[in-house]
């Protein structure tokens, strides 16, 4: 039997090459989920399918368990994609229906969808009579019960941050809101205020009355050694955070382990008002504006809740007053190495709390007063 010569092998290769090209070009296409961003939130509407010429592996859905979810979110890119608009992630944490959904619908009306995302954490133990609709439709993330005087409200906020980080890399600022919150400026005004900032807005107060009792609510030494009394801070749970701080929160395990302990003194236990300002004060105080942009009135507060505006109080004068009011800040919470903080005049963008029946008077002044900047 004759052995093949190099020349014969070369000729055979040339003859087979067209067949290889034909097979490669006519291979079957692969179906993948379309859209520039995948939608990992399990309760979201699935993306439409498209056909691509080349095989593309579909991005995985987010993990169901919190530990894996938070770990995955902490590893996302800390920067938003260049050349694309920055987005605001509106995070609604609620244990009830959203009574001001019609007002928010007006707020987002005619706003380009590439400028914002909406995420809802809805306590599943509440008997919702109607499903979320409009801009809130299919925006509910996998949620768990959220109770006062427990760390579950912190867990809910971290869950919202994690889903928003995984869902859309263009999310630049992350704003936490409650069911009793309303906007007091137009979307465009809010968007410009938040996206132009490279710092988070979160109230960080030091030496507040009752600080020791809150710090010791889990036991006199429960927070040590990671959280010393001098590092313990108080502040509103409603904040607007940069992508950097959102990643910091979902990736935190050390400080969270301290706040995730049950309180032994429940009437001084407000972990959601302490965890976020304490963590950011300890880890990154330089990149924060230490006040909240959500207005609240603590005059006449009851049972740890701020004043709730009744429908009879809602009118143009109230909204104008809320707009003209200035955020509260604590001198000791300001980074002394940044003198520009003392010169800032940041406006309130949101306000709470409003009674559910306030929706009618609010809607009547929405266009002429609330959204008029």
């Amino acid at each position: 039997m004759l052995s093949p010569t190099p020349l014969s092998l070369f000729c055979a290769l040339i003859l087979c090459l067209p067949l290889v090209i034909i097979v490669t070009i006519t291979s079957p296409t692969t179906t993948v989920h379309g859209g520039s961003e995948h939608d990992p939130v399990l309760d979201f509407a699935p993306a439409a399918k498209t056909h691509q010429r080349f095989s593309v592996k579909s991005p995985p859905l987010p993990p169901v368990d919190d530990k894996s979810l938070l770990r995955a979110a902490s590893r996302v890119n800390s920067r938003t994609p260049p050349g694309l608009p920055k987005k605001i992630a509106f995070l609604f944490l609620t244990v009830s229906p959203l009574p001001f959904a019609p007002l928010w619908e007006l707020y987002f009306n005619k706003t380009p969808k590439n400028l914002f995302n909406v995420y809802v954490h809805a306590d599943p133990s509440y008997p919702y009579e109607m499903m979320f609709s409009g801009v809130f439709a299919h925006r509910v993330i996998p949620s768990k019960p959220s109770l006062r005087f427990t760390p579950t409200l912190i867990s809910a906020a971290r869950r919202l941050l994690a889903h928003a980080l995984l869902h859309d890399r263009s999310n630049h600022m992350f704003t936490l809101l409650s069911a009793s919150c309303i906007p007091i400026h137009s979307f465009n005004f809010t968007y410009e205020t938040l996206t132009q900032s490279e710092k988070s807005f979160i109230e960080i107060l030091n030496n507040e009355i009752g600080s020791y009792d809150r710090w010791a609510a889990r036991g006199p030494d429960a927070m040590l050694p990671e959280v010393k009394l001098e590092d313990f801070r108080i502040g509103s749970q409603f904040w607007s955070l940069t992508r950097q701080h959102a990643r910091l929160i979902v990736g935190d395990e050390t400080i969270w382990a301290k706040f995730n302990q049950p309180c032994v003194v429940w009437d001084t236990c407000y972990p959601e008002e302490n965890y976020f300002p304490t963590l950011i004060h300890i880890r990154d105080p330089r990149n924060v504006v230490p006040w909240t942009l959500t207005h609240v009135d603590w005059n006449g507060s009851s049972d740890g809740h701020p004043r709730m505006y009744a429908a009879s109080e809602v009118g143009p004068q109230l909204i104008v007053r809320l707009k003209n009011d200035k955020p509260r800040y604590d001198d000791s919470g300001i980074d002394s190495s940044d003198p520009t903080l003392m010169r800032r005049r940041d406006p309130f963008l949101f306000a709470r709390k409003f009674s559910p029946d306030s929706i009618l008077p609010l809607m009547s002044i929405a266009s002429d007063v609330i959204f008029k900047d």
Side-chain angles (χ1 to χ4, degrees):
M1 183 176 181
L2 296 176
S3 300
T5 64
L7 179 60
S8 63
L9 290 174
F10 177 77
C11 293
L13 178 61
I14 293 297
L15 291 173
C16 292
L17 184 58
L19 180 60
V20 173
I21 295 175
I22 292 172
V23 170
T24 302
I25 293 178
T26 58
S27 295
T29 57
T30 302
T31 301
V32 299
H33 289 290
S36 59
E37 291 288 345
H38 72 284
D39 203 337
V41 182
L42 300 182
D43 197 35
F44 280 14
K49 294 184 178 181
T50 60
H51 292 278
Q52 303 291 337
R53 170 63 64 184
F54 302 104
S55 175
V56 178
K57 184 177 180 181
S58 180
L61 293 174
V64 176
D65 65 291
D66 283 352
K67 185 175 181 179
S68 299
L69 172 70
L70 296 169
R71 185 185 299 114
S74 69
R75 296 172 178 172
V76 301
N77 197 308
S78 61
R79 298 181 180 275
T80 54
L84 294 178
K86 297 176 180 178
K87 294 184 181 181
I88 301 175
F90 291 85
L91 315 177
F92 288 85
L93 199 169
T94 181
V95 295
S96 67
L98 299 175
F100 303 114
L103 184 63
W104 286 106
E105 290 284 351
L106 286 180
Y107 178 76
F108 292 116
N109 187 32
K110 298 181 181 179
T111 299
K113 299 298 187 290
N114 64 340
L115 298 183
F116 72 95
N117 283 305
V118 172
Y119 307 88
V120 180
H121 187 287
D123 189 330
S125 63
Y126 187 91
Y128 298 93
E129 296 180 1
M130 297 180 61
M131 297 297 293
F132 296 96
S133 60
V135 71
F136 300 100
H138 309 297
R139 309 311 296 173
V140 179
I141 69 168
S143 308
K144 297 181 181 180
S146 306
L147 306 173
R148 290 188 73 198
F149 314 118
T150 74
T152 56
L153 287 171
I154 303 176
S155 296
R158 298 179 85 208
R159 213 171 282 127
L160 280 164
L161 285 172
H163 278 282
L165 283 167
L166 288 168
H167 172 237
D168 196 334
R169 190 182 159 194
S170 292
N171 284 332
H172 173 72
M173 292 291 282
F174 302 75
T175 296
L176 187 66
L177 301 159
S178 75
S180 64
C181 285
I182 68 164
I184 57 174
H185 283 283
S186 68
F187 177 90
N188 290 339
F189 185 94
T190 301
Y191 182 84
E192 293 299 323
T193 301
L194 292 179
T195 58
Q196 290 179 6
S197 177
E198 296 300 325
K199 294 178 180 288
S200 293
F201 295 93
I202 176 171
E203 189 175 55
I204 301 179
L205 303 174
N206 190 22
N207 298 321
E208 288 289 285
I209 297 175
S211 291
Y212 175 80
D213 292 334
R214 289 189 178 210
W215 177 77
R218 297 155 193 81
D221 300 319
M223 303 298 285
L224 295 174
E226 288 80 5
V227 182
K228 301 179 179 63
L229 178 60
E230 56 266 30
D231 291 327
F232 189 78
R233 294 294 184 269
I234 293 175
S236 169
Q237 72 178 100
F238 300 102
W239 30 249
S240 293
L241 301 179
T242 61
R243 190 172 180 86
Q244 175 185 355
H245 283 150
R247 290 178 69 245
L248 170 66
I249 288 173
V250 299
D252 170 53
E253 295 182 357
T254 304
I255 306 301
W256 166 239
K258 292 298 179 178
F259 282 92
N260 196 28
Q261 302 177 79
C263 290
V264 295
V265 183
W266 69 268
D267 58 345
T268 57
C269 184
Y270 302 98
E272 70 281 0
E273 295 180 0
N274 303 131
Y275 170 71
F276 301 107
T278 297
L279 172 63
I280 292 181
H281 165 72
I282 292 175
R283 295 290 175 79
D284 190 23
R286 291 180 176 271
N287 290 308
V288 66
V289 178
W291 50 78
T292 179
L293 299 184
T294 299
H295 189 286
V296 66
D297 187 355
W298 286 103
N299 294 319
S301 62
S302 175
D303 191 26
H305 291 287
R307 173 187 176 184
M308 178 177 287
Y309 297 106
S312 58
E313 300 177 85
V314 175
Q317 290 184 336
L318 173 62
I319 300 301
V320 171
R321 178 170 64 82
L322 297 180
K323 288 185 176 185
N324 292 336
D325 207 354
K326 298 302 178 185
R328 171 198 182 195
Y329 61 87
D330 180 3
D331 290 346
S332 61
I334 293 180
D335 178 15
S336 59
S337 66
D338 187 357
T340 63
L341 286 178
M342 293 298 295
R343 300 194 296 267
R344 295 182 70 105
R345 293 294 182 269
D346 300 291
F348 283 112
L349 301 177
F350 313 99
R352 61 186 292 268
K353 300 175 65 170
F354 287 80
S355 62
D357 60 344
S358 298
I359 183 60
L360 292 179
L362 286 170
M363 292 294 286
S364 69
I365 60 173
S367 299
D368 295 333
V369 180
I370 297 177
F371 302 143
K372 186 176 182 179
D373 301 314

